[in-house]
Amino acid sequence: QKEVEQNSGPLSVPEGAIASLNCTYSDRGSQSFFWYRQYSGKSPELIMFIYSNGDKEDGRFTAQLNKASQYVSLLIRDSQPSDSATYLCAVPWEINDYKLSFGAGTTVTVRA
Amino acid sequence: DVKVTQSSRYLVKRTGEKVFLECVQDMDHENMFWYRQDPGLGLRLIYFSYDVKMKEKGDIPEGYSVSREKKERFSLILESASTNQTSMYLCASSRPAYSNQPQHFGDGTRLSIL
């Protein structure tokens, strides 16, 4: 399986700012990546999937994949207090595998 | 919406007991997963199942077993509970085969072993 590393945080940003989260992975062959959001006391929910190099945007969220450097980032624009959560990065064990390796997560706090 | 239901939100058991955690999904997903989540360690896969009666070990299967007799139900069994199995347990389900299929999680069971 893959090793997935994230800074644990906490990452504190003011309301309206951009929160930038990074995730590095060990296997250069990895092709697809997931970002999950987990509110305190709740279960993870998928917020972004990215497959190809470059950026993918969904509302205020942008995922950026850089395969050469083996990292994937998540940007949260116009951060809101409701974005305060732990963000988990996940990578399939193998290409086309449905088993995922999760990072330990980055905790984000948005200050009002 | 996909619904993954775990039978208990909180559970307290004693060392040495046999513990059953139940999970039911309503979306006819082939894949089901059991994870445990501990602070600083993230989600670790215990077991998963890709079909009825089929299972594979994950990262940390020691001390656990699973049962999948029906497609919608996946049970995690702690054969003889120990204090180091105190954790949050999460069940998930997904469609098979393709790596872009999201996993849908239940609300979790916080298990304490005394």
Side-chain angles (χ1 to χ4, degrees):
Chain A
Q1 79 234 38
K2 309 290 193 297
E3 287 188 9
V4 181
E5 294 197 0
Q6 300 179 250
N7 289 329
S8 62
L11 176 64
S12 180
V13 298
E15 186 174 357
I18 296 175
S20 178
L21 293 75
N22 287 323
C23 170
T24 60
Y25 56 94
S26 60
D27 190 339
R28 187 172 293 277
S30 297
Q31 294 186 340
S32 56
F33 305 86
F34 298 82
W35 281 101
Y36 283 81
R37 177 177 62 199
Q38 186 175 23
Y39 290 115
S40 180
K42 301 293 186 182
S43 59
E45 56 179 335
L46 182 73
I47 56 171
M48 185 72 76
F49 165 75
I50 185 167
Y51 179 79
S52 58
N53 247 354
D55 297 0
K56 180 179 179 181
E57 188 174 312
D58 185 358
R60 295 185 295 108
F61 296 97
T62 299
Q64 299 175 321
L65 175 58
N66 186 319
K67 289 187 178 180
S69 300
Q70 294 180 230
Y71 75 83
V72 56
S73 300
L74 181 71
L75 301 179
I76 308 173
R77 294 185 305 281
D78 188 24
S79 295
Q80 302 296 310
S82 60
D83 296 324
S84 296
T86 297
Y87 292 81
L88 306 171
C89 172
V91 179
W93 280 27
E94 305 291 340
I95 293 173
N96 293 330
D97 200 340
Y98 38 78
K99 303 186 296 295
L100 298 177
S101 291
F102 283 84
T106 298
T107 299
V108 174
T109 300
V110 180
R111 309 186 304 271
Chain B
D1 274 356
V2 176
K3 184 69 174 176
V4 179
T5 303
Q6 295 185 229
S7 55
S8 302
R9 192 79 175 92
Y10 299 94
L11 205 54
V12 179
K13 296 291 182 180
R14 298 213 171 269
T15 304
E17 281 192 70
K18 191 170 186 177
V19 181
F20 294 84
L21 302 183
E22 307 287 344
C23 175
V24 177
Q25 50 95 3
D26 67 356
M27 282 302 291
D28 203 35
H29 284 170
E30 280 78 3
N31 297 334
M32 295 189 75
F33 308 81
W34 274 107
Y35 294 91
R36 63 178 284 176
Q37 187 173 29
D38 301 288
L41 297 178
L43 282 150
R44 292 180 291 167
L45 181 65
I46 304 171
Y47 268 99
F48 78 98
S49 169
Y50 51 92
D51 203 348
V52 175
K53 297 189 185 296
M54 306 305 289
K55 62 185 179 184
E56 288 188 18
K57 294 179 180 179
D59 296 321
I60 50 167
E62 296 78 18
Y64 303 95
S65 63
V66 290
S67 173
R68 194 164 181 203
E69 297 296 320
K70 293 184 178 181
K71 190 175 185 180
E72 68 270 18
R73 185 179 298 271
F74 191 34
S75 302
L76 179 69
I77 304 156
L78 285 66
E79 298 291 344
S80 177
S82 64
T83 55
N84 62 11
Q85 292 177 310
T86 292
S87 186
M88 170 67 84
Y89 289 87
L90 290 162
C91 176
S93 72
S94 75
R95 290 180 176 168
Y98 301 107
S99 58
N100 63 345
Q101 294 299 312
Q103 293 186 16
H104 300 269
F105 287 85
D107 287 338
T109 295
R110 186 164 294 282
L111 176 64
S112 296
I113 306 296
L114 305 180

